[in-house]
């Protein structure tokens, strides 16, 4: 307990009663963990444990009816932590103890990469990318760089919140790609794991409005001058 502001990486855990046990521990980072146990929870949060990040890791819970992640609350306890690019294989997220209203929260996020090119396969610099979640809340807007990409985004897949008990999903997300002179693209994407989306822009067709001669005009052996915009 009381481990704070530490960094741990590339550890495999097997044959343990609990994979990672956060007991009154905050602001720690766990990177590249592989947790494969069959007797208890893969990850357990207890006491005031918040601001912890588990990233690029695999949790596999083999026993039936066991909690992959367990949040054990108590009076005046705050538990609020994040999984980023963590595979939750055959696991459940559960609460126990006196989790107060909105005090036991697990944020589950996934990586999103976006690449945009033209129909000739060259990268598009300066195309506008907007991303919104299932509630139509705007979560990202920016331009692609010279490589046709945006900075990798950490997108909220879902939140486990003891107020609702159930998983609150933020999918599907909507990605819109646009650039002046090209047909915009809108796509719904389920970002529940690492996602890499490719878009190809095509030029808008040229539209010509005929001003004269009037539609339906008839001419015979005449030189006709057309006016259009």
């Amino acid at each position: 307990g009381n481990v704070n502001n530490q960094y741990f990486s590339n550890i495999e855990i097997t044959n343990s009663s609990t994979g990672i046990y956060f007991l009154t521990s905050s602001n720690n980072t766990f990177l590249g963990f592989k947790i494969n146990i069959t007797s208890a929870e893969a990850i357990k949060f207890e006491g005031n444990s918040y601001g912890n990040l588990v990233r690029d890791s695999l949790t596999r819970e083999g026993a039936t009816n066991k909690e992959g992640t367990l949040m054990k609350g108590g009076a005046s306890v705050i538990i609020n932590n994040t999984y980023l690019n963590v595979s939750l294989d055959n696991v459940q997220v559960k609460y126990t103890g006196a989790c107060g209203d909105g005090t036991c929260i697990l944020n589950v996020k996934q990586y999103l990469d976006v690449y945009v090119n033209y129909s000739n396969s060259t990268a598009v610099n300066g195309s506008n990318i907007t991303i919104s979640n299932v509630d139509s809340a705007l979560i990202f807007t920016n331009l692609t760089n010279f490589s046709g990409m945006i900075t990798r985004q950490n997108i909220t897949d879902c939140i486990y919140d003891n107020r609702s008990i159930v998983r609150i999903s933020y999918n599907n997300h909507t990605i819109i790609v646009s650039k002046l002179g090209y047909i915009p693209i809108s796509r719904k994407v389920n970002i529940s794991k690492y996602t890499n989306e490719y878009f190809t822009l095509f030029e808008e067709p040229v539209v010509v409005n005929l001003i004269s001669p009037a539609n339906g005009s008839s001419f015979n052996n005449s030189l006709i001058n057309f006016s259009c915009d």
Side-chain angles (χ1 to χ4, degrees), residues 7 9-11 29-34 53-59 82-87 109-111 152 154 194:
Y7 182 92
S9 65
N10 301 318
I11 297 175
T29 297
F30 288 73
L31 171 67
F33 272 59
K34 294 182 180 179
L53 172 64
V54 181
R55 180 165 66 91
D56 302 340
S57 298
L58 169 66
T59 66
T82 299
Y83 288 171
L84 173 59
N85 191 36
V86 173
S87 175
K109 299 185 177 185
Q110 307 293 345
Y111 293 135
R152 173 173 283 180
N154 303 332
Y194 166 65

Side-chain angles (χ1 to χ4, degrees), residues 41 43-45 67-72 92 94-96:
E41 56 273 353
I43 299 176
K44 181 178 181 179
F45 299 100
E67 301 84 6
T69 298
L70 177 64
M71 289 183 276
K72 186 176 182 180
Q92 302 177 61
K94 290 189 177 181
Y95 313 94
T96 187

Side-chain angles (χ1 to χ4, degrees), residues 11-218:
I11 297 175
E12 184 169 356
I13 301 173
T14 59
N15 300 320
S16 173
S17 59
T18 297
I20 305 175
Y21 187 7
F22 294 89
L23 177 60
T24 316
S25 300
S26 299
N27 302 314
N28 299 291
T29 297
F30 288 73
L31 171 67
F33 272 59
K34 294 182 180 179
I35 306 171
N36 191 352
I37 59 177
T38 59
S39 59
E41 56 273 353
I43 299 176
K44 181 178 181 179
F45 299 100
E46 184 174 359
N48 280 307
S49 295
Y50 51 85
N52 296 293
L53 172 64
V54 181
R55 180 165 66 91
D56 302 340
S57 298
L58 169 66
T59 66
R60 179 175 290 115
E61 169 50 62
T64 58
N65 299 317
K66 290 292 184 179
E67 301 84 6
T69 298
L70 177 64
M71 289 183 276
K72 186 176 182 180
S76 302
V77 164
I78 297 176
I79 297 175
N80 192 328
N81 302 284
T82 299
Y83 288 171
L84 173 59
N85 191 36
V86 173
S87 175
L88 303 175
D89 185 12
N90 189 31
V91 300
Q92 302 177 61
V93 176
K94 290 189 177 181
Y95 313 94
T96 187
C99 274
D101 186 23
T103 58
C104 291
I105 296 174
L106 176 64
N107 307 281
V108 179
K109 299 185 177 185
Q110 307 293 345
Y111 293 135
L112 171 68
D113 288 324
V114 173
Y115 173 74
V116 184
N117 64 5
Y118 294 113
S119 56
N120 64 1
S121 298
T122 59
V124 179
N125 177 39
S127 61
N128 187 56
I129 310 294
T130 62
I131 305 171
S132 56
N133 64 23
V134 70
D135 297 321
S136 298
L138 180 66
I139 58 177
F140 175 85
T141 180
N142 213 327
L143 302 177
T144 54
N145 57 27
F146 286 97
S147 298
M149 303 186 71
I150 59 173
T151 303
R152 173 173 283 180
Q153 297 299 297
N154 303 332
I155 303 295
T156 300
D157 166 23
C158 64
I159 293 178
Y160 291 91
D161 186 336
N162 67 288
R163 285 174 294 186
S164 61
I165 304 300
V166 298
R167 175 179 181 271
I168 306 168
S169 176
Y170 286 86
N171 281 300
N172 287 334
H173 288 76
T174 300
I175 304 175
I176 298 176
V177 179
S178 61
K179 186 176 176 67
L180 184 65
Y182 293 84
I183 302 171
I185 302 171
S186 178
R187 182 183 299 169
K188 292 190 180 297
V189 181
N190 186 338
I191 308 174
S192 56
K193 60 182 180 180
Y194 166 65
T195 302
N196 193 0
E197 289 293 312
Y198 293 86
F199 296 85
T200 299
L201 291 179
F202 294 90
E203 290 183 293
E204 291 182 331
V206 176
V207 178
V208 177
N209 296 314
L210 184 64
I211 298 174
S212 65
N215 187 34
S217 300
S218 178

Side-chain angles (χ1 to χ4, degrees), residues 218-224:
S218 178
F219 300 89
N220 185 24
N221 296 326
S222 299
L223 180 63
I224 305 172

